[in-house]
Amino acid sequence: MKRYTGIVLTVLLSLTMTAVQGVTAKPKEKVFSGVVIYFSDDCVELKKGKTEVTVYLDKQTIVENKTGDEGQSALSLCQKAKAYYIIEGGRARLIKLQILSPGYCGS
């Protein structure tokens, strides 16, 4: 009987821990690489093949470039970039935009 009670308690404890982790877990960071097709003060749109992703900037967003330029002034059309973002409130909040290569078209 003690063995049965021990097994039941172990299962209940593991289920409770799994549920708590699911509720308190941070949103998983996603990554998308593509070409910058549009940017503004609020958002950046990237495209790779037929897939387009719009990510939204905020005050904590980091924009970095291999040349050392940082901030939105480093952005231009047709740059290859990698976006690190999380989904918050139904929107893709941009954490970091890493510019991989310079733009190949006029802006």
Side-chain angles (χ1 to χ4, degrees):
M1 189 68 169
K2 287 183 180 180
R3 187 177 203 185
Y4 177 72
T5 304
I7 292 171
V8 169
L9 287 174
T10 303
V11 169
L12 287 175
L13 183 61
S14 65
L15 288 174
T16 303
M17 293 302 291
T18 303
V20 168
Q21 287 176 348
V23 171
T24 60
K26 291 182 357 181
K28 186 176 179 184
E29 186 176 275
K30 297 182 178 189
V31 180
F32 184 82
S33 295
V35 176
V36 176
I37 59 170
Y38 174 79
F39 66 93
S40 68
D41 292 338
D42 300 337
C43 68
V44 176
E45 284 186 33
L46 299 169
K47 183 174 183 172
K48 183 174 187 178
K50 292 183 180 181
T51 306
E52 291 184 18
V53 172
T54 303
V55 289
Y56 295 90
L57 299 131
D58 64 8
K59 292 180 181 176
Q60 290 85 29
T61 299
I62 299 168
V63 178
E64 64 180 28
N65 193 343
K66 289 181 179 179
T67 63
D69 297 337
E70 292 189 354
Q72 280 192 285
S73 62
L75 280 173
S76 66
L77 292 177
C78 302
Q79 289 175 318
K80 290 184 182 177
K82 186 182 285 189
Y84 299 86
Y85 65 97
I86 57 173
I87 304 296
E88 261 185 7
R91 287 173 46 140
R93 184 173 69 85
L94 184 60
I95 297 169
K96 179 171 126 178
L97 184 70
Q98 187 176 28
I99 299 168
L100 304 173
S101 67
Y104 54 84
C105 62
S107 44

